[in-house]
Amino acid sequence: MQTLFISDLHLSANTPHIAQNYLTLLANEGIKSQAIYILGDFFEVWLGDDGITPQHEPILGALRQLSEAGIPLYFMHGNRDFLIGHRFSEMTGCQLLQDPTIIDLYGTQTLLMHGDLLCTDDIDYMAFRRQVRDPDWQQQFLALEMTKRVEMAKQARDASQSSAKNKSLEIMDVNQQTVEKFLTDAQLTQLIHGHTHRPAIHEFELNGETAKRIVLGDWGAEPSYLIVTPDKMTLLDQRI
Ligand code: MN
């Protein structure tokens, strides 16, 4: 009995080894799981479900096989693939989750997030996020020709990369007070998220209890994933 969590694969045509590791993970661990959660930034970039091409089929098909085998699949948007929509959902069997979402994880109520909402020290990013998560903005963006969307995404990426150079590492990480606020508001002591590419299991005291924040890792040369069973939590990442 296990539940599998992954995030931040940043799949793209340039990273076939990540796609291969992902297919291997689903074949080895996914098939044994009671549920699979993908917590965002599954793709490096996603500019609308109308951009799905036959090249995506191995990635999407592997999910579809698991959902057809009866394994529930859940997908939460990241900051790079927030335009994943209903067509993706239908093609894979993934149910889209709101950010944040609360799940019952073997008796422990657990808050799931992508993680970007926790990085409140990055004021510019939070403003950008509000803009691009606005349904009207998304509708207008998705109505543009794909070539125009590609061009706009490239501009946004270049701008964010050049501004990231001037930001301290602390700004790009979660804000601890924001973490505590999300948990306190939800009356929970367990949080799982990705986004920061700093895989770790943090324990801290919150309102007199021990709280846990599990950070999923990004995928580079090696896969990174979390397996939770009724007895334990294992974060499998070469860096820790
Ligand atoms: Mn992210």
Side-chain angles (χ1 to χ4, degrees):
M1 204 167 10
Q2 68 175 34
T3 300
L4 175 64
F5 293 86
I6 53 174
S7 72
D8 299 279
L9 283 76
H10 294 268
L11 286 166
S12 79
N14 306 326
T15 53
H17 67 285
I18 296 181
Q20 194 50 57
N21 285 341
Y22 150 83
L23 294 173
T24 304
L25 179 70
L26 290 192
N28 293 341
E29 296 295 341
I31 194 72
K32 293 191 290 188
S33 299
Q34 285 180 300
I36 301 173
Y37 290 87
I38 302 174
L39 298 185
D41 288 357
F42 184 49
F43 293 103
E44 173 69 2
V45 62
W46 193 266
L47 301 175
D49 287 0
D50 55 337
I52 294 173
T53 70
Q55 281 186 312
H56 289 107
E57 179 47 30
I59 306 294
L60 307 191
L63 291 173
R64 189 169 58 244
Q65 275 186 8
L66 292 178
S67 65
E68 283 172 355
I71 299 170
L73 308 179
Y74 301 96
F75 189 98
M76 184 179 281
H77 292 129
N79 52 300
R80 291 179 168 275
D81 51 14
F82 58 86
L83 289 172
I84 291 247
H86 294 295
R87 178 147 175 248
F88 172 89
S89 186
E90 276 164 21
M91 287 179 75
T92 58
C94 284
Q95 187 183 323
L96 300 181
L97 297 179
Q98 294 295 316
D99 186 352
T101 283
I102 298 172
I103 62 163
D104 182 330
L105 192 53
Y106 303 112
T108 304
Q109 296 292 107
T110 301
L111 195 63
L112 305 183
M113 302 180 77
H114 173 57
D116 53 338
L117 275 175
L118 300 168
C119 299
T120 46
D121 294 333
D122 192 343
I123 310 283
D124 300 341
Y125 172 71
M126 294 308 279
F128 173 78
R129 189 184 193 280
R130 274 191 298 279
Q131 180 193 16
V132 301
R133 296 301 181 101
D134 175 65
D136 290 337
W137 183 91
Q138 291 192 358
Q139 204 182 0
Q140 284 172 27
F141 184 79
L142 290 171
L144 298 170
E145 293 285 339
M146 187 53 89
T147 49
K148 180 69 185 160
R149 281 181 256 166
V150 170
E151 190 186 311
M152 285 174 70
K154 188 181 178 308
Q155 282 169 3
R157 217 165 29 246
D158 290 349
S160 103
Q161 273 169 6
S162 65
S163 82
K165 278 186 200 139
N166 301 320
K167 284 176 190 165
S168 69
L169 290 171
E170 287 72 32
I171 284 177
M172 313 276 282
D173 199 1
V174 301
N175 175 295
Q176 180 64 18
Q177 283 174 322
T178 306
V179 168
E180 293 181 8
K181 179 162 178 14
F182 270 99
L183 283 171
T184 302
D185 288 352
Q187 296 185 292
L188 300 181
T189 53
Q190 184 156 283
L191 165 64
I192 301 174
H193 71 84
H195 178 66
T196 59
H197 301 187
R198 295 162 197 240
I201 298 182
H202 300 277
E203 289 195 354
F204 54 97
E205 201 187 305
L206 179 64
N207 308 323
E209 291 181 85
T210 301
K212 214 179 247 190
R213 177 169 71 93
I214 301 100
V215 188
L216 306 174
D218 54 312
W219 290 42
E222 300 295 331
S224 177
Y225 54 101
L226 173 71
I227 290 186
V228 183
T229 69
D231 307 317
K232 66 173 180 187
M233 229 172 213
T234 314
L235 184 56
L236 291 122
D237 188 295
Q238 280 219 317
R239 291 161 289 187
I240 55 172

